[in-house]
Amino acid sequence: MIALTVSLQVVPGRREDFLAAIEENAERSFTDEPGCRSFDVVCDLADDHHFAFHEICDDEAAVEAHRAAPHFKVWRTAAEKYVVPGSQVNTLSRRLFHHS
């Protein structure tokens, strides 16, 4: 399993627009992409404009399929409007343990 963790800051005043866009992307990723096992969106308790996404995918091919999906292109257009430039950090890693 591959984990993709994304951290970013949202432009002040655009939080609600951002939330609508990322909710659509997260839902479509999970429902439309067979290799996407989960997609969590979390908000920093101390800063309601700082978010992180945690996606679990079957493998790197599933991550690439995610990036090629039509809804991802829509998300990227929204992100250009709602995410503070230069604030997004993507980390791709291998999931070693999971407990739920």
Side-chain angles (χ1 to χ4, degrees):
M1 294 281 183
I2 299 294
L4 173 60
T5 304
V6 178
S7 174
L8 56 80
Q9 192 72 26
V10 173
V11 172
R14 302 310 299 264
R15 186 177 192 275
E16 295 307 315
D17 297 322
F18 164 82
L19 286 171
I22 193 54
E23 182 175 18
E24 176 70 16
N25 182 55
E27 181 177 343
R28 298 284 308 275
S29 296
F30 185 72
T31 60
D32 296 356
E33 298 175 25
C36 179
R37 299 300 169 191
S38 66
F39 193 127
D40 295 326
V41 178
V42 298
C43 181
D44 189 324
L45 288 174
D47 179 355
D48 71 354
H49 281 66
H50 180 227
F51 290 84
F53 316 149
H54 188 70
E55 304 169 49
I56 299 295
C57 300
D58 286 340
D59 50 30
E60 289 182 60
V63 174
E64 289 306 314
H66 170 64
R67 292 177 177 150
H71 59 269
F72 185 79
K73 290 176 178 58
V74 173
W75 158 247
R76 288 307 316 150
T77 299
E80 289 175 12
K81 294 186 267 185
Y82 308 140
V83 175
V84 173
S87 71
Q88 184 169 326
V89 176
N90 296 357
T91 305
L92 199 60
S93 51
R94 186 164 317 282
R95 183 169 83 172
L96 300 177
F97 304 102
H98 171 74
H99 304 280
S100 59

